[in-house]
Amino acid sequence: DRLTGRGRWKHMYPLLVLLCAVCALSGTRSPVAAAGRSCADTRQVYAEKGYGTGTAPLTQISGEHLRLCPQDYTCCSSQMEETLALQSERDFLKSVEENSQFLLTTFTQRHRRFDEFFRELIELSEKSMNQMFTKTYGRLFTQNSHVFQELFVELRRYYSGGSVSLSEVLSDFWSRLVERVFSLVNPQYQFSEDYLECVSKHAEQLQPFGDVPRKLRVQVSRAFIAARALSQGLATGRDIVNKATKLTADSECVRGLMRQWYCPLCRGMPSLRPCHSLCLNVMKGCLANQADLDTEWNNFIDSLYQVSEKLEGPFNIELAADSISVKVSEAIMHMQENSVSISTKARTRAEEDDGEIKTGNILNINVTELKERLRPMRGFWVSLPHTICNDEKMAADVTNEDRCWNGQTRGRYLPDVTGDGLVSQINNPEVEVDIARPDVRTRQLIMELRVVTNKLRHAQSGQDMDFMDSEEGSGSGGGDHGERYNDDWPGYGPYSPPYNKPARNPPANPAKPPRVRERNGSKWNKNNGHGRVRSASSQLSFSLVPLLSLPLMVTVAPMWR
């Protein structure tokens, strides 16, 4: 026995029997049993995914060839493991795309809806002015309609993103208008081009239209600034979601994805789902850079929400667009009434026509729907791993901690769930992440979010960032902090002016390049005076104030009928 070793085996036999019994009780398969186990379930699932089973083992084989899954007995060949790794990446990218679809859909649809609505408001405002002024002023308006057309051309250009200063647009409009009205209320004089240029330059000091230009500038500027900022913000949100969801999973991420989703298939347990905590660690590692968008993303969403509230409240663009024709008519009548005594017929007609063309309550409806969709967008990128792992097709339920795939076998997953963001992945047990190399594209998206958020925040106070420096606070809403007027607010709904603020002296307009004057038909009704016609070309040295008071000393027939 000593020579043959039989005695030694006799003593070890009971130990082997005990070991086999323990293995059977513990559920661990013996090598012989594992090697002979059928791979029918694995082959069926593999075929259902559209792959051929030519390389799929019929029974479990030794797994020394595996690179991603545990090198235990397996139902996967090397080719199958490689194929399933690519499948896991596709599944991951598809899940990210599907879970972010509501973001993309919301930004795309809402941008299109608001853009069409804002453009329609401008069209209706111009149409309303044409109808009102044609009915009220007749040929006097139609002969000079290009002055008003230019105003709306510039408003459209501003909204469309053009490099346009709203304050300069409105200033130029009033300058052109004062020349024509000045000629009209002084029909007994014929003024040279240079003289009328001088009149327009001093219009700010003379205030021929009263306080109307300033009030219109405040109302139109802040409403258009907010509308453009919202439209641009929605477009930016759409583009950022598009870029942030166009992922490329690196090799470490793919390793983690494969280990959690398809290694159970290779072990012959295709129905076994990864433990919830395992799934979270893998997703947090693969989506570490996206999670770093969270702070700026939330600031962006909050700013969009606040600007949308401004639009349905004090910066209501429907009211601003509707008020353009009425306020311009008021300005013209103010200049006339302070020059001659005329009929009040024009005022009556303007009041009757006010609001004739309305778009209804579309703005409030659009804003309400937008706000409802913005609320759940906060924290989207940080919560995305949880969203994916809460899908029963992607991971086991949190209550099933003992009967899930833990990365090696069926059982509880013991490691802690790592934190959010790139830096927190230093201790991620499932995905090795290089925290020293932030993703360049993600950093660019963060900067884009900061820029658009800054624009939205300035728009909330009626400021246009594009012209803040050049206009020194007096430009497109820049100098109108908190200015409110009773006629800026709707006469219904929850909004009302909290106080009546006394009118301030309008800030000085910035210097602007000289505009090209029209040499033909530069004055309204140039030759409609009766009696003696004088030339004012040699009177530039005279004070404008006495000249503007000339109509008070002569009798002029009412012209604005």
Side-chain angles (χ1 to χ4, degrees):
D1 286 343
R2 289 180 180 177
L3 293 176
T4 61
R6 292 175 182 174
R8 183 174 57 184
W9 284 107
K10 288 180 181 179
H11 292 292
M12 293 180 64
Y13 183 75
L15 182 61
L16 290 172
V17 173
L18 179 62
L19 180 61
C20 291
V22 171
C23 291
L25 292 174
S26 64
T28 303
R29 300 189 303 274
S30 66
V32 175
R37 183 169 180 176
S38 172
C39 291
D41 291 342
T42 297
R43 289 168 59 88
Q44 179 180 349
V45 172
Y46 192 69
E48 289 173 352
K49 291 186 175 295
Y51 302 119
T53 58
T55 62
L58 296 175
T59 59
Q60 291 194 358
I61 59 176
S62 178
E64 287 86 355
H65 59 281
L66 299 178
R67 297 184 300 108
L68 303 178
C69 293
Q71 293 182 332
D72 205 336
Y73 279 85
T74 181
C75 287
C76 284
S77 62
S78 295
Q79 182 178 342
M80 289 177 65
E81 186 186 42
E82 182 178 348
T83 299
L84 290 172
L86 295 175
Q87 182 64 49
S88 68
E89 181 180 10
R90 286 192 293 269
D91 292 347
F92 166 67
L93 298 179
K94 180 181 179 182
S95 181
V96 170
E97 180 181 352
E98 289 177 348
N99 283 284
S100 60
Q101 188 61 43
F102 86 96
L103 291 180
L104 189 59
T105 300
T106 294
F107 283 119
T108 301
Q109 292 182 348
R110 298 298 142 179
H111 172 261
R112 182 171 60 249
R113 182 172 299 181
F114 274 100
D115 182 64
E116 292 175 351
F117 174 67
F118 291 149
R119 293 179 187 277
E120 181 184 9
L121 281 180
I122 300 174
E123 294 291 333
L124 290 175
S125 180
E126 183 175 20
K127 182 179 179 181
S128 175
M129 174 174 281
N130 288 337
Q131 290 181 348
M132 176 193 295
F133 280 38
T134 299
K135 182 187 298 185
T136 304
Y137 303 124
R139 289 185 60 194
L140 293 177
F141 170 71
T142 56
Q143 290 173 353
N144 297 273
S145 60
H146 64 280
V147 176
F148 303 92
Q149 291 172 357
E150 290 174 5
L151 170 63
F152 286 97
V153 166
E154 291 302 300
L155 290 178
R156 290 187 188 90
R157 194 157 71 91
Y158 172 82
Y159 170 73
S160 299
S163 181
V164 178
S165 167
L166 284 176
S167 65
E168 289 193 6
V169 166
L170 292 170
S171 177
D172 287 346
F173 167 73
W174 292 116
S175 294
R176 289 182 172 91
L177 188 61
V178 72
E179 296 174 10
R180 285 152 178 78
V181 178
F182 183 80
S183 299
L184 176 66
V185 298
N186 293 280
Q188 71 276 26
Y189 295 97
Q190 182 174 352
F191 303 103
S192 68
E193 300 291 337
D194 292 334
Y195 193 88
L196 290 176
E197 180 76 16
C198 182
V199 171
S200 66
K201 286 182 178 178
H202 290 80
E204 185 177 343
Q205 289 79 18
L206 299 173
Q207 291 190 309
F209 298 122
D211 198 34
V212 174
R214 181 179 68 89
K215 295 172 71 174
L216 185 63
R217 174 177 58 83
V218 172
Q219 187 176 16
V220 169
S221 293
R222 64 191 187 183
F224 272 74
I225 290 169
R228 184 170 85 160
L230 180 65
S231 180
Q232 291 178 344
L234 293 173
T236 301
R238 173 199 62 204
D239 295 341
I240 286 177
V241 172
N242 254 326
K243 295 173 185 176
T245 54
K246 294 296 184 290
L247 305 177
T248 54
D250 60 28
S251 59
E252 290 300 325
C253 172
V254 172
R255 178 184 294 272
L257 296 170
M258 174 65 186
R259 287 171 63 86
Q260 73 163 354
W261 281 336
Y262 289 111
C263 286
L265 179 64
C266 289
R267 286 292 301 271
M269 298 178 283
S271 62
L272 197 61
R273 297 287 177 264
C275 297
H276 193 265
S277 296
L278 167 62
C279 178
L280 285 179
N281 276 337
V282 172
M283 291 303 160
K284 289 192 175 191
C286 290
L287 296 169
N289 285 290
Q290 279 66 31
D292 281 349
L293 294 171
D294 187 62
T295 298
E296 296 301 332
W297 175 262
N298 289 342
N299 291 337
F300 166 63
I301 296 299
D302 290 343
S303 296
L304 273 178
Y305 192 97
Q306 291 157 7
V307 167
S308 64
E309 285 192 318
K310 286 280 190 176
L311 273 173
E312 67 176 348
F315 292 8
N316 191 305
I317 191 172
E318 276 189 300
L319 294 179
D322 286 342
S323 71
I324 293 177
S325 57
V326 177
K327 279 187 165 61
V328 171
S329 181
E330 289 177 359
I332 294 172
M333 289 185 290
H334 181 277
M335 185 171 178
Q336 288 181 278
E337 290 171 352
N338 283 273
S339 301
V340 294
S341 176
I342 63 171
S343 171
T344 60
K345 185 176 181 180
R347 179 184 297 277
T348 302
R349 287 185 177 177
E351 291 174 352
E352 289 174 352
D353 290 340
D354 180 22
E356 183 174 290
I357 299 178
K358 295 285 186 180
T359 58
N361 203 31
I362 299 177
L363 177 61
N364 289 342
I365 294 174
N366 286 343
V367 169
T368 299
E369 291 178 350
L370 175 62
K371 291 193 296 184
E372 289 176 353
R373 285 162 174 76
L374 288 175
R375 288 190 183 97
M377 291 185 183
R378 293 190 88 260
F380 171 81
W381 302 106
V382 164
S383 63
L384 185 55
H386 296 269
T387 304
I388 294 175
C389 294
N390 286 339
D391 187 341
E392 63 180 7
K393 296 181 295 184
M394 298 298 182
D397 188 82
V398 290
T399 61
N400 190 14
E401 296 181 353
D402 296 322
R403 298 180 59 81
C404 55
W405 173 257
N406 62 16
Q408 297 292 329
T409 187
R410 186 198 307 267
R412 181 181 293 268
Y413 181 76
L414 299 178
D416 294 331
V417 175
T418 189
D420 302 313
L422 185 64
V423 175
S424 299
Q425 306 312 308
I426 189 172
N427 296 318
N428 192 317
E430 304 302 329
V431 181
E432 185 176 342
V433 181
D434 186 356
I435 65 172
R437 297 180 60 185
D439 181 60
V440 174
R441 185 175 61 173
T442 302
R443 303 304 113 180
Q444 291 173 341
L445 293 180
I446 289 175
M447 290 306 300
E448 289 181 30
L449 285 170
R450 287 176 180 169
V451 169
V452 69
T453 298
N454 204 19
K455 287 186 176 182
L456 289 166
R457 285 175 173 171
H458 279 88
Q460 293 170 37
S461 57
Q463 294 176 314
D464 191 338
M465 281 185 59
D466 295 337
F467 298 97
M468 284 179 61
D469 294 336
S470 63
E471 302 195 0
E472 298 177 352
S474 66
S476 303
D480 306 316
H481 302 288
E483 281 193 295
R484 294 172 179 172
Y485 304 95
N486 288 331
D487 54 353
D488 290 341
W489 295 75
Y492 52 87
Y495 299 100
S496 59
Y499 57 87
N500 291 327
K501 193 171 185 177
R504 301 184 301 181
N505 292 329
N509 285 333
K512 55 181 180 289
R515 55 187 171 85
V516 178
R517 295 179 51 78
E518 303 90 340
R519 292 297 175 184
N520 296 322
S522 63
K523 300 186 290 294
W524 287 43
N525 204 18
K526 181 186 297 184
N527 298 315
N528 65 346
H530 299 282
R532 183 174 58 182
V533 178
R534 300 178 184 177
S535 172
S537 61
S538 60
Q539 301 178 10
L540 283 173
S541 60
F542 288 8
S543 169
L544 285 175
V545 175
L547 185 53
L548 280 176
S549 65
L550 278 175
L552 298 176
M553 298 181 288
V554 295
T555 301
V556 180
M559 302 301 299
W560 292 84
R561 293 185 181 274

